[in-house]
Amino acid sequence: MSKLVKSSKIDKTFISQSFENLQEAICQELEILDGKAVFQEEKWDRPGGGGGRARVIENGNIFEKGGVNFSNVHGLLPDQLSEGLGLSPGHEFLATGVSIILHPSNPFVPIIHMNVRYFEMSNGDKWFGGGIDLTPIYIDVNQAKYFHQSLKDLCNRHDPSYYPEFKAWADNYFYIKHRNETRGIGGIFFDRLTVNPEFTLEDRYAFVKDVGESFTQIYKKLVNENRTKPYGEAEKRWQLIRRGRYVEFNLVYDRGTKFGLDTNGRIESIFMSLPPQVKWLYNYQPQPNSEEEFTLSMLRKGIDWANL
């Protein structure tokens, strides 16, 4: 899916170029899927070093708001991050990646998030991170099974230990502790995938590349199965309530948001993930035996979606 990059050596330059190409390819596919809206691009520079391309899509046939961001930032690692990594001050860093969030208009089309990233330190430490997770406003069990089976198949192409480990990681990461509920049905999440005797840099890169390039193929099926479903005020209200939970997670728990703020990142790019409209209703309770109540009952850790 992504274009070839100039170098065949997998290093920070190669990885950054491949992520930039991935952004381009995904934007093209999403514009075709939407059929109306196109991405608006804004290039930005980070005062401490590096920059990126923010691309936002709005008011389309499918996407009310979404973004596909590429960044390549570098410079002196802030003291707060040095402390979090257990390092003494004074290290240089490079971080590059693609981050995607899509908020559809139709409540039956799920919110989706994807991120692939690479981090390298001046002391020689380097690792990949990322993942894909799905936040349906209304949970359809068959569609949840398809989503998780697709991720399981993707992981198994690289290592059979990946899916169970990264699925559990997603369950624990995308968890709104103060609500005692998961953000959605999870997916896979991984961080600090380092080079070791079992996995080379090439192995790790091949997996992360597959995650990025599988994103639109997995999501298109879910969009096309739900895009024409009718909805009314009740479904829209539930969508806005669930979007509120999404905002709560991103502002309270999300590591990417915290990293962007701690490294003086571009605020518009950091908060691109937030939906355009939300609701917070006091002590809202769904009607008994409703689709909303069913969805709420399934927002918990440990569900073996692929085998339901």
Side-chain angles (χ1 to χ4, degrees):
M1 177 174 139
S2 60
K3 302 173 187 176
L4 293 175
V5 292
K6 295 179 181 179
S7 171
S8 60
K9 179 184 177 183
I10 297 180
D11 57 14
K12 61 186 179 182
T13 301
F14 178 97
I15 293 165
S16 182
Q17 288 177 342
S18 70
F19 284 164
E20 194 168 7
N21 292 338
L22 178 67
Q23 180 201 36
E24 183 72 32
I26 287 176
C27 286
Q28 291 176 7
E29 293 195 27
L30 291 177
E31 286 179 350
I32 293 170
L33 183 62
D34 185 89
K36 175 186 174 183
V38 296
F39 281 92
Q40 303 300 312
E41 178 179 285
E42 185 175 1
K43 294 183 179 179
W44 56 274
D45 294 316
R46 175 179 173 270
R53 299 190 309 193
R55 289 188 176 177
V56 175
I57 191 168
E58 295 180 296
N59 303 316
N61 289 329
I62 303 298
F63 306 118
E64 186 175 352
K65 179 189 175 189
V68 181
N69 281 355
F70 163 77
S71 62
N72 183 325
V73 298
H74 55 82
L76 186 66
L77 192 68
D79 290 347
Q80 185 177 354
L81 290 177
S82 296
E83 184 178 347
L85 293 171
L87 298 172
S88 58
H91 287 83
E92 299 281 327
F93 81 98
L94 175 137
T96 184
V98 174
S99 182
I100 302 170
I101 175 64
L102 297 168
H103 293 284
S105 298
N106 190 317
F108 292 102
V109 180
I111 300 167
I112 196 165
H113 162 256
M114 191 275 284
N115 173 262
V116 288
R117 58 188 180 274
Y118 175 72
F119 199 92
E120 184 171 310
M121 296 287 301
S122 56
N123 67 355
D125 291 345
K126 56 187 72 173
W127 64 84
F128 289 97
I132 305 178
D133 69 286
L134 196 72
T135 304
I137 306 302
Y138 289 94
I139 290 178
D140 180 305
V141 171
N142 286 330
Q143 291 178 2
K145 289 175 64 173
Y146 154 77
F147 178 71
H148 273 272
Q149 186 62 53
S150 298
L151 295 180
K152 186 175 182 179
D153 292 343
L154 185 163
C155 289
N156 285 346
R157 290 196 290 268
H158 300 272
D159 191 272
S161 70
Y162 276 177
Y163 177 75
E165 179 182 353
F166 299 161
K167 191 268 186 189
W169 205 336
D171 280 357
N172 290 322
Y173 180 73
F174 296 108
Y175 181 68
I176 308 173
K177 185 169 61 174
H178 61 269
R179 296 284 187 182
N180 194 31
E181 63 188 45
T182 54
R183 187 170 81 173
I185 63 167
I188 56 172
F189 177 81
F190 50 92
D191 200 12
R192 303 294 293 270
L193 292 190
T194 59
V195 175
N196 58 45
E198 187 177 1
F199 296 103
T200 65
L201 185 67
E202 289 75 15
D203 293 332
R204 297 299 202 190
Y205 171 75
F207 169 63
V208 171
K209 178 174 181 286
D210 201 3
V211 171
E213 295 186 350
S214 296
F215 166 76
T216 48
Q217 292 304 313
I218 292 172
Y219 190 47
K220 277 195 292 188
K221 177 178 171 63
L222 297 170
V223 170
N224 289 328
E225 287 186 0
N226 295 290
R227 63 191 298 168
T228 60
K229 288 183 178 178
Y231 61 91
E233 289 186 13
E235 290 80 14
K236 197 66 180 177
R237 179 179 64 175
W238 178 243
Q239 180 192 49
L240 298 183
I241 291 170
R242 295 311 309 166
R243 283 179 175 179
R245 299 292 202 266
Y246 203 95
V247 171
E248 289 178 20
F249 176 86
N250 279 34
L251 295 183
V252 177
Y253 302 112
D254 186 71
R255 294 180 189 171
T257 300
K258 293 179 180 179
F259 176 81
L261 296 174
D262 288 342
T263 56
N264 298 316
R266 182 173 179 269
I267 292 299
E268 288 300 321
S269 297
I270 296 167
F271 289 158
M272 170 208 72
S273 61
L274 303 182
Q277 292 182 316
V278 298
K279 277 186 183 292
W280 279 278
L281 300 181
Y282 180 74
N283 197 29
Y284 175 82
Q285 301 295 325
Q287 292 295 316
N289 302 315
S290 64
E291 290 298 315
E292 292 83 1
E293 184 183 63
F294 173 75
T295 291
L296 200 58
S297 74
M298 301 298 282
L299 297 175
R300 62 182 194 271
K301 300 180 186 181
I303 297 177
D304 186 4
W305 293 103
N307 293 309
L308 279 183

